[in-house]
Amino acid sequence: MRYLLTYSLLSLSLFAAAQQDPRIPPAKDLVTYQLPKNSIYHKGWIDFNKNGKMDVYEDPSATIEARIEDLLSQMNVDEKTCQMVTLYGYKRVLADDLPTADWKNKLWKDGMGAIDEHLNGFQQWGLPPSDNPFVWPASRHAWALNEVQRFFIEETRLGIPTDFTNEGIRGVESYIATNFPTQLGLGHTWNRDLVNKVGYITGREGRLLGYTNIYAPILDVGRDQRWGRYEEVYGESPYLVAELGIAMTKGVQKDYQVASTAKHYIAYSNNKGGREGMARVDPQMSPREVENIHVYPWKRVIKEAGSLGVMSSYNDYDGFPIQSSYYWLTTVLRKEMGFKGYVVSDSDAVEYLHSKHGTSADMKESVRQSVEAGLNVRCTFRSPDSYVLPLRELIHEGGISMETIDDRVRDILRVKFLVGLFDAPYQMDLKAADKEVNSLENQQIALQASRESLVLLKNENNTLPLSKDKVKTISICGPNANDASYALTHYGPLAVEVSSVLDGITAKVGKNSEVLYTKGCDLVDANWPESEILPSPLTSDEQAEIDKAVANALKSDVAIVVLGGNNRTCGENKSRSSLDLPGRQLNLLQAVQATGKPVILIMINGRPNSINWADKYVPAILEAWYPGSQGGTAIADVLFGDYNPGGKLTVTFPKTVGQIPFNFPAKPASQVDGGKTVGMQGNMSRVNGALYPFGYGLSYTTFKYSDLSISPAVATPKQEVTVRCKITNTGSRDGDEVVQLYTRDILSSVTTYEKNLRGFERVHLKAGETKEVAFTLYPRDFELLNLDNNWVIEPGDFRIMIGASSEDIRLKDILTIAAYGEQTVQKKIAGVNESVAMVLDNNNNTEWNGVSGDYLTFVMEENAQPDKMSIYWKAIEHPAAFEIQLSSGGGQFLTVYKGEIKEAEKLSTYSFPKTIASDVRIAITSGKASIAEVKLDNIKR
């Protein structure tokens, strides 16, 4: 309710300001924008340079490149350099909301490349939205941006329109707009079509409000769960980031309604220790990992979606700041990827060259290095003079050639022409802005996104869904139960109505159930985060509030605890040193669980948390991320069975921060470590395995996978391959399943990842329904970066795996890639030697013969945990004995079973303690024996 009150008070404030401001046009003039009588406006074209004739750059029928060259030929140095900078909007740098007479004396009298976040309502971190009357309603906001645009068209010599830029990673940043889940939540939908719709709505609402360039999507790939901006990534898989990034970009840029500027280019999301801000230097990655993980999404999104904008990051890589790197900004981005738009700097990326990285002596040298490297537009919270004046000095002194300047300006103008700024520079349909921005139709898409982003992590004994008929009293507690501040922060809409979890549940049950609420604890305690390393006893006030939650739970049929984080614990410059629940949250959960009542944990947060205690003891856990303004409604829909959750994890949940780096994809056996038995006599020295793996997620129904087919089974490096399977809903409820396809290059010249996500599809199935799912694998899906740093496809066998998560593989087979012209290669057991192959061929007439000291070794799939093995002894020379030995890496084998070989011509089964094993060995310890067949699950084939 707090957010509705805040929203109402701000609206009243805006209304009062509007009543007193004589500049605001009457309502009748906020239907269609009325251009003043001015001789430059003609039917079908605008005389931007006011010379009384249609120049080529003013001619809509001319080619864009011809228009660019004509305009460029008329521009002087002052006008060109003004195009190469951003002016931050009202109350950030720009002091005025609308143009004033003094603008003719400012730097931007010669134009401006972009104006960022103008009148979008955001003032500063921690401050409420602006109460300026031009931030809302939508029609008035669009009118105000038109008035600003008029200055640049009518009052500058060449009339070059400015590019109005704005944030948009969870809906366009505005006082009010359609509010979506954070990008991490959108990633968990695994729904390209839905993300495309989100992109279109974001771009459409942005253009209706007057913006022409939206800073979205984020193409960073999550690698370190401590990182504060984990809430902004789609996930850990570069393939998933690319697929959803393509969908989002195409939606934002549909019909060139606006430009899409992706961020942060490049190698930005794996900083040392997850550190942020000024410490964002020296990402801890090898060059091959940068290419495989971080370059991959950019390459595909630029080539397949045609991004018009790229934001250059302010980190370095391997000692070279990205901002001053010709290799990254020109060689890779423009020459290799084919980028045709303009590069804008992230925050103080230029200034950091001298103030942080120490690779430049001063601002002037930083400007030179940046422009030479490929920067088009400097964007930061500083006066544009601080960049343009040293840039002009460099040109005058011969430090930068006019050829370079012209190249940079061409890219800026190209984007402006593509988004129609020279043909339709004003948002004319003001009424449409009021009608469409945050419309009911758009809110329905937001609700769908909120529902599909939810991931059911645990549901012991079908605790969920709840029955309204059986649950008459519900207790709700937790710092996030009645707090939805996560939905009203930077990079998205600022003042929309938000449904909290308490709101959603209260509305859902109506008068059927009594809802008892108390906060239970604050999000953090008074000494957080120091309290994570120096814990202190609960204060009397903290204990009293927990006692209230316990008392409510004891009166209830079910207890709902809503924990996690918000912008105090996660977000930009909010990296953590722990992944545990902050503050007293675990104390609260343990106290409520101790009541013996059924407990449901709802997590609202921007990163994976190590909720080990909850996973062991709490019967039901729902991960909601930051679910947007519709979050409370969506969560209530899931809790009471009106929506069946189908989201799957796009990130890995470590059990402890001490396991980091721990993410997907991973190299073979890289996640296996140490001993396996606990206790004083055990050999285990650290916690192993994920709490929840990539791709994991439960449903209220169950699914069966069947009928895997690969066509062709043997393909050339230039062929597409179709993989099909069938999915059946074997439960009693309709539901969604995210079907995931993974590949593995079995034998390669360089080490490749254990599993590569190369296909996914979210499929809705009615109870009992079966659908066929088809995936297309392209040649790029089999590429690797070889020893010579060339992208190649190496002929050989690839394991194709389809499953419900990266660790729940239901179907698998082998695809062979063979060079064109070679004979068809028969499928074979791949990756094993001839002796092992003979005992895995389902043929009792082929055998391996061994004497004392001989052994057979079987390589196991990652995280295999064998506990039995069956051996068909073909012949024995008594007395004969053997051992079964296991290795968990490092070459050391430990015996888990020993015995005599008693019977031949019979399949005998031997059991031993379940242990994670990288290799399993059968060793003949005395006598002679031959083996015809071995049955062992999870042998690597």
Side-chain angles (χ1 to χ4, degrees):
M1 298 301 293
R2 182 186 318 164
Y3 300 95
L4 179 58
L5 177 62
T6 302
Y7 167 84
S8 300
L9 291 174
L10 284 168
S11 297
L12 289 171
S13 175
L14 292 175
F15 178 78
Q19 295 294 98
Q20 301 168 8
D21 196 325
R23 300 172 300 167
I24 295 175
K28 66 180 180 63
D29 292 336
L30 293 176
V31 176
T32 301
Y33 186 63
Q34 303 295 320
L35 284 171
K37 292 182 179 179
N38 192 313
S39 61
I40 70 171
Y41 298 111
H42 301 272
K43 185 176 182 180
W45 69 283
I46 300 172
D47 186 10
F48 291 104
N49 62 5
K50 299 97 178 161
N51 67 356
K53 66 176 184 178
M54 184 190 292
D55 291 79
V56 174
Y57 85 91
E58 299 164 346
D59 183 359
S61 67
T63 67
I64 286 179
E65 294 306 316
R67 298 176 78 179
I68 291 171
E69 295 306 317
D70 180 60
L71 176 54
L72 197 61
S73 70
Q74 298 186 42
M75 296 172 71
N76 60 37
V77 169
D78 287 353
E79 290 159 341
K80 289 175 181 178
T81 52
C82 276
Q83 288 300 305
M84 297 175 66
V85 72
T86 284
L87 170 63
Y88 253 89
Y90 179 60
K91 282 197 173 180
R92 308 301 300 281
V93 172
L94 186 58
D96 308 305
D97 47 12
L98 296 180
T100 68
D102 191 45
W103 282 25
K104 294 290 286 184
N105 302 315
K106 299 290 187 180
L107 180 83
W108 47 94
K109 71 183 184 301
D110 294 308
M112 187 55 47
I115 298 182
D116 195 29
E117 298 189 35
H118 187 54
L119 295 173
N120 70 352
F122 183 76
Q123 296 193 90
Q124 193 53 265
W125 296 100
L127 294 179
S130 169
D131 60 358
N132 181 279
F134 297 110
V135 301
W136 196 255
S139 56
R140 192 189 300 155
H141 180 279
W143 176 88
L145 264 59
N146 283 341
E147 290 295 291
V148 175
Q149 189 69 277
R150 274 185 56 216
F151 171 84
F152 292 100
I153 292 173
E154 297 178 7
E155 302 298 332
T156 64
R157 186 178 72 92
L158 295 177
I160 302 173
T162 192
D163 192 8
F164 284 108
T165 58
N166 199 4
E167 302 288 348
I169 61 173
R170 50 179 148 210
V172 62
E173 184 166 23
S174 173
Y175 183 76
I176 293 175
T178 305
N179 187 302
F180 298 100
T182 53
Q183 194 167 293
L184 183 60
L186 291 174
H188 283 79
T189 70
W190 297 71
N191 190 332
R192 298 175 185 85
D193 180 63
L194 176 60
V195 171
N196 180 262
K197 290 178 181 176
V198 170
Y200 173 74
I201 291 170
T202 302
R204 171 68 176 166
E205 292 189 353
R207 191 63 183 242
L208 287 170
L209 288 164
Y211 300 103
T212 48
N213 193 324
I214 300 299
Y215 290 165
I218 288 177
L219 299 181
D220 301 321
V221 182
R223 305 311 283 162
D224 190 329
Q225 294 87 341
R226 294 169 294 186
W227 186 38
R229 303 190 82 167
Y230 224 73
E231 65 184 48
E232 297 179 7
V233 304
Y234 285 126
E236 295 171 353
S237 162
Y239 176 85
L240 179 131
V241 171
E243 291 287 309
L244 298 186
I246 290 167
M248 181 74 174
T249 301
K250 287 183 175 180
V252 170
Q253 289 190 172
K254 183 176 174 58
D255 300 325
Y256 290 121
Q257 58 182 1
V258 294
S260 167
T261 293
K263 53 186 188 177
H264 308 85
Y265 181 86
I266 199 163
Y268 179 76
S269 56
N270 194 27
N271 202 33
K272 187 174 183 178
R275 294 183 180 90
E276 258 289 8
M278 284 295 290
R280 179 144 289 285
V281 294
D282 194 20
Q284 302 294 288
M285 295 173 284
S286 68
R288 187 164 269 101
E289 183 176 355
V290 169
E291 292 291 336
N292 287 325
I293 301 296
H294 298 275
V295 175
Y296 178 92
W298 289 92
K299 185 190 306 181
R300 289 197 54 206
V301 172
I302 288 170
K303 289 184 177 180
E304 298 175 42
S307 300
L308 293 179
V310 161
M311 180 178 285
S312 57
S313 59
Y314 48 75
N315 57 279
D316 71 342
Y317 173 66
D318 195 27
F320 297 93
I322 301 300
Q323 185 58 79
S324 60
S325 171
Y326 183 88
Y327 172 77
W328 285 114
L329 296 187
T330 299
T331 302
V332 175
L333 183 61
R334 295 196 179 278
K335 296 179 181 179
E336 295 180 9
M337 295 185 187
F339 178 64
K340 301 296 184 185
Y342 75 73
V343 177
V344 58
S345 67
D346 182 11
S347 189
D348 271 359
V350 174
E351 286 75 7
Y352 281 170
L353 296 179
H354 60 272
S355 68
K356 179 168 71 170
H357 297 297
T359 54
S360 162
D362 51 31
M363 181 62 182
K364 189 172 174 180
E365 175 59 16
S366 295
V367 172
R368 189 194 68 78
Q369 290 183 11
S370 297
V371 174
E372 292 282 6
L375 179 67
N376 299 101
V377 175
R378 195 285 299 267
C379 176
T380 194
F381 310 100
R382 300 174 186 268
S383 164
D385 304 61
S386 63
Y387 182 81
V388 170
L389 297 182
L391 178 59
R392 289 175 180 172
E393 286 182 20
L394 286 163
I395 296 170
H396 176 72
E397 295 166 357
I400 297 178
S401 71
M402 282 309 303
E403 180 182 9
T404 298
I405 296 296
D406 287 349
D407 279 346
R408 302 297 174 262
V409 176
R410 279 189 185 95
D411 300 326
I412 301 164
L413 297 178
R414 184 178 300 110
V415 172
K416 292 188 175 186
F417 277 112
L418 283 169
V419 300
L421 274 172
F422 286 90
D423 301 322
Y426 302 110
Q427 204 294 79
M428 303 300 292
D429 193 350
L430 304 180
K431 184 178 180 181
D434 287 333
K435 180 180 178 182
E436 292 188 44
V437 176
N438 200 34
S439 66
L440 292 177
E441 293 82 0
N442 291 350
Q443 289 182 47
Q444 285 302 305
I445 301 298
L447 177 59
Q448 180 190 355
S450 297
R451 287 169 170 162
E452 292 195 16
S453 70
L454 304 179
V455 183
L456 185 62
L457 296 178
K458 186 179 179 184
N459 194 23
E460 190 176 80
N461 300 322
N462 295 318
T463 301
L464 292 174
L466 302 174
S467 169
K468 284 189 240 179
D469 296 331
K470 296 179 181 179
V471 177
K472 295 303 179 183
T473 306
I474 303 169
S475 70
I476 303 176
C477 67
N480 279 338
N482 194 32
D483 180 22
S485 59
Y486 62 83
L488 301 175
T489 185
H490 198 19
Y491 303 126
L494 301 169
V496 298
E497 296 181 61
V498 179
S499 170
S500 69
V501 176
L502 179 61
D503 294 335
I505 292 173
T506 302
K508 177 68 66 176
V509 300
K511 297 181 179 179
N512 292 332
S513 303
E514 182 182 8
V515 176
L516 307 176
Y517 166 72
T518 191
K519 191 174 186 180
C521 70
D522 290 320
L523 192 83
V524 300
D525 61 78
N527 297 313
W528 190 85
E530 284 82 1
S531 57
E532 292 183 339
I533 58 174
L534 292 172
S536 59
L538 291 165
T539 67
S540 57
D541 288 344
E542 289 172 335
Q543 185 63 61
E545 182 58 24
I546 290 176
D547 291 343
K548 290 180 185 178
V550 169
N552 283 348
L554 289 169
K555 300 173 190 174
S556 304
D557 299 310
V558 64
I560 297 172
V561 185
V562 192
L563 306 178
N566 64 13
N567 55 21
R568 172 65 182 89
T569 62
C570 194
E572 191 165 4
N573 295 315
K574 300 287 178 63
S575 294
R576 287 191 63 192
S577 51
S578 170
L579 295 180
D580 295 337
L581 290 169
R584 308 301 193 180
Q585 295 186 46
L586 182 57
N587 301 85
L588 172 64
L589 181 62
Q590 290 173 332
V592 174
Q593 176 70 14
T595 65
K597 294 300 179 84
V599 175
I600 298 165
L601 170 61
I602 298 171
M603 293 293 297
I604 294 180
N605 47 5
R607 62 161 64 83
N609 286 119
S610 297
I611 49 173
N612 299 286
W613 190 91
D615 178 68
K616 186 169 183 177
Y617 295 108
V618 176
I621 305 174
L622 182 68
E623 175 60 72
W625 308 114
Y626 291 152
S629 63
Q630 306 281 339
T633 301
I635 290 168
D637 288 344
V638 167
L639 294 181
F640 290 91
D642 294 323
Y643 183 80
N644 187 351
K648 301 269 190 168
L649 295 182
T650 66
V651 295
T652 302
F653 276 61
K655 292 177 180 176
T656 168
V657 73
Q659 293 173 290
I660 293 173
F662 193 6
N663 42 42
F664 176 91
K667 294 291 183 67
S670 64
Q671 313 290 52
V672 179
D673 186 25
K676 310 304 174 191
T677 55
V678 301
M680 296 176 65
Q681 305 303 319
N683 63 356
M684 191 174 181
S685 62
R686 65 179 297 171
V687 172
N688 294 322
L691 181 60
Y692 307 111
F694 179 89
Y696 170 84
L698 304 177
S699 170
Y700 295 156
T701 188
T702 54
F703 300 94
K704 176 185 175 183
Y705 289 60
S706 64
D707 300 290
L708 174 64
S709 68
I710 302 173
S711 178
V714 179
T716 75
K718 296 183 178 181
Q719 276 186 292
E720 295 178 3
V721 176
T722 300
V723 180
R724 301 179 186 274
C725 68
K726 290 182 179 178
I727 311 297
T728 302
N729 184 341
T730 53
S732 59
R733 288 178 176 267
D734 299 352
D736 291 359
E737 175 69 336
V738 178
V739 186
Q740 303 157 45
L741 186 152
Y742 298 91
T743 66
R744 170 70 197 277
D745 191 343
I746 294 172
L747 180 64
S748 53
S749 61
V750 297
T751 304
T752 58
Y753 296 105
E754 184 75 26
K755 293 186 181 77
N756 297 282
L757 181 69
R758 286 296 180 262
F760 61 86
E761 204 66 47
R762 185 166 183 142
V763 183
H764 182 75
L765 293 166
K766 296 179 180 179
E769 183 181 10
T770 297
K771 286 183 180 178
E772 183 177 77
V773 180
F775 301 97
T776 300
L777 295 175
Y778 300 93
R780 66 166 180 260
D781 294 321
F782 305 107
E783 288 183 333
L784 60 75
L785 191 62
N786 70 6
L787 294 169
D788 297 321
N789 285 321
N790 295 319
W791 287 100
V792 299
I793 299 173
E794 296 181 343
D797 292 333
F798 292 79
R799 185 176 295 112
I800 306 300
M801 298 163 278
I802 292 181
S805 83
S806 61
E807 292 189 6
D808 184 8
I809 301 301
R810 307 287 183 89
L811 305 169
K812 58 185 175 182
D813 205 345
I814 300 296
L815 165 71
T816 299
I817 302 292
Y820 176 70
E822 292 185 359
Q823 291 183 340
T824 302
V825 179
Q826 297 297 318
K827 286 192 178 181
K828 60 182 183 296
I829 297 173
V832 297
N833 62 39
E834 184 177 351
S835 296
V836 171
M838 286 192 296
V839 302
L840 297 176
D841 60 3
N842 295 313
N843 184 354
N844 288 344
N845 295 317
T846 58
E847 61 192 69
W848 170 82
N849 296 294
V851 298
S852 180
D854 291 341
Y855 54 82
L856 278 175
T857 302
F858 304 89
V859 180
M860 307 300 291
E861 294 180 347
E862 185 172 6
N863 294 323
Q865 299 184 55
D867 59 1
K868 63 182 177 180
M869 171 187 277
S870 298
I871 305 174
Y872 190 98
W873 300 104
K874 184 72 172 178
I876 311 167
E877 185 176 311
H878 291 289
F882 77 104
E883 292 183 359
I884 298 175
Q885 303 171 347
L886 272 62
S887 173
S888 59
Q892 181 180 7
F893 283 83
L894 301 176
T895 299
V896 294
Y897 184 93
K898 62 172 61 178
E900 294 183 358
I901 308 170
K902 297 181 179 179
E903 296 184 70
E905 300 289 347
K906 179 182 178 182
L907 188 69
S908 300
T909 300
Y910 308 96
S911 298
F912 43 84
K914 180 182 287 189
T915 306
I916 292 179
S918 61
D919 303 88
V920 176
R921 175 176 289 176
I922 303 171
I924 306 300
T925 55
S926 66
K928 297 180 180 180
S930 61
I931 299 173
E933 284 298 309
V934 171
K935 304 295 182 184
L936 177 64
D937 291 340
N938 300 313
I939 293 178
K940 185 173 288 188
R941 296 176 183 270

